[in-house]
Amino acid sequence: MKTWQYALIVFLGGCCYGVLSTFVKLAYSAGYSVTEVTGGQYLFGALLTWTLVIFTKKKKSSLNQAIKLLLSGIPFGLTGVFYYQALQTLNASLAIIFLFQFVWIGTLFEWIFYKKIPTKGKIIAIGFLIIGSILAAGLVAKSEVALSLQGTAWGLLSALTFTTFIFLSSSVGNDTSPILKSAFLSTGGLIVVLLVYPPMFLFDLPVLIGVAPYGLFLGIFGVALPPLLFSIGMPHIGPGLGTILTASELPVAVTMSAIILTELVSFSQWLGVVIILSGIVVGNVRFTSLSLLEKT
């Protein structure tokens, strides 16, 4: 596969996260709690991934590799836990801004661990993404923003753990098949979520049946697909560009809320979406050009 194809795969992984907020809101409006929605999401997602493992050919993984991948799934589960905690005291538009800080934390990680100094093109792309995220989240259109210290801490922690997950996706278990790697990552995330949110809803049949459609959908797009797509694409593009491409999450979230929830999206929000997409293009074009120069 070519570099741009791996980049597209990671971009689609970010898009998967973008559809989650809309359907989480639908689940909440149907009367289901954070525990039921989050637990259902990770449970169904992990089950789906292991089902794929059973019906596909894959290389066996050593016990040591399996343990590393399970541990790498911890930040995957913690991201959901921290983000939902942030939403308890922050409105959704502000919480996603804090989560969105992963776009520059990923480049910082790459600088610290891989000794890759960010290029001017990457810095410009990150600038586009941060400005676009502020506009797309609707903060400019709102006169008052309720800021909480506790919510801010949870939001920044979610950005840190999400960056860590992206970083580990690009560096751990690259000799393991993407489907098996995704299954272990999902399982690691599931274990964390079940420890934080005990799955008592599993013993309440009406609740389990009711939350199942939401859990299945959220499991596919929030647990099964992202680790699989990241496992395929991240090792070939690195966490720096990976975090930029994953910024596709916010434009998709804004678009989905407008189409499905019929929420009013202001001109400044749509402008933010365009700026974010421009930042992704700037970062990707710069990376692809450098890759071609290195090959020649």
Side-chain angles (χ1 to χ4, degrees), residues 134-213:
I134 293 172
L135 291 171
L139 296 186
V140 174
K142 295 178 181 179
S143 57
E144 295 183 1
V145 177
L147 186 63
S148 129
L149 181 60
Q150 183 181 6
T152 299
W154 287 122
L156 291 175
L157 279 172
S158 71
L160 182 61
T161 54
F162 188 51
T163 308
T164 304
F165 169 62
I166 292 174
F167 187 86
L168 292 173
S169 294
S170 70
S171 56
V172 177
N174 291 336
D175 54 347
T176 304
S177 70
I179 292 178
L180 186 58
K181 179 178 176 179
S182 176
F184 282 122
L185 290 172
S186 301
T187 304
L190 173 64
I191 292 170
V192 172
V193 168
L194 294 184
L195 288 174
V196 177
Y197 299 122
M200 302 307 296
F201 69 94
L202 292 176
F203 305 99
D204 190 335
L205 188 58
V207 172
L208 179 60
I209 294 174
V211 81

Side-chain angles (χ1 to χ4, degrees), residues 35-247:
T35 298
E36 292 158 356
V37 174
T38 310
Q41 173 183 328
Y42 279 83
L43 177 63
F44 282 104
L47 289 175
L48 282 169
T49 311
W50 280 108
T51 301
L52 287 175
V53 171
I54 293 172
F55 290 100
T56 55
K57 293 181 180 179
K58 67 282 180 186
K59 295 180 181 177
K60 291 184 178 181
S61 179
S62 66
L63 179 60
N64 184 50
Q65 192 71 273
I67 292 173
K68 285 183 179 179
L69 289 170
L70 284 172
L71 293 174
S72 298
I74 291 176
F76 180 41
L78 287 176
T79 300
V81 172
F82 291 153
Y83 185 61
Y84 286 129
Q85 286 293 330
L87 287 171
Q88 300 298 311
T89 54
L90 297 176
N91 60 44
S93 60
L94 190 56
I96 200 168
I97 288 296
F98 288 116
L99 173 62
F100 212 72
Q101 299 313 301
F102 68 79
V103 298
W104 63 265
I105 297 176
T107 299
L108 181 63
F109 271 32
E110 196 172 44
W111 190 1
I112 294 172
F113 295 106
Y114 291 163
K115 309 302 179 185
K116 290 185 179 180
I117 299 174
T119 62
K120 289 182 179 179
K122 186 172 289 185
I123 292 173
I124 291 171
I126 291 172
F128 270 73
L129 295 174
I130 292 175
I131 294 170
S133 67
I134 293 172
L135 291 171
L139 296 186
V140 174
K142 295 178 181 179
S143 57
E144 295 183 1
V145 177
L147 186 63
S148 129
L149 181 60
Q150 183 181 6
T152 299
W154 287 122
L156 291 175
L157 279 172
S158 71
L160 182 61
T161 54
F162 188 51
T163 308
T164 304
F165 169 62
I166 292 174
F167 187 86
L168 292 173
S169 294
S170 70
S171 56
V172 177
N174 291 336
D175 54 347
T176 304
S177 70
I179 292 178
L180 186 58
K181 179 178 176 179
S182 176
F184 282 122
L185 290 172
S186 301
T187 304
L190 173 64
I191 292 170
V192 172
V193 168
L194 294 184
L195 288 174
V196 177
Y197 299 122
M200 302 307 296
F201 69 94
L202 292 176
F203 305 99
D204 190 335
L205 188 58
V207 172
L208 179 60
I209 294 174
V211 81
Y214 299 102
L216 185 60
F217 183 90
L218 294 171
I220 292 172
F221 288 96
V223 179
L225 281 178
L228 176 59
L229 297 174
F230 292 164
S231 296
I232 296 171
M234 285 291 183
H236 299 275
I237 63 173
L241 178 64
T243 49
I244 290 176
L245 289 165
T246 311

Side-chain angles (χ1 to χ4, degrees), residues 222-280:
V223 179
L225 281 178
L228 176 59
L229 297 174
F230 292 164
S231 296
I232 296 171
M234 285 291 183
H236 299 275
I237 63 173
L241 178 64
T243 49
I244 290 176
L245 289 165
T246 311
S248 58
E249 168 190 349
L250 188 51
V252 173
V254 173
T255 305
M256 292 290 288
S257 64
I259 295 174
I260 295 179
L261 299 178
T262 63
E263 292 182 355
L264 179 63
V265 179
S266 66
F267 172 76
S268 64
Q269 287 179 280
W270 286 122
L271 178 61
V273 168
V274 173
I275 292 174
I276 290 171
L277 294 175
S278 300
I280 292 171

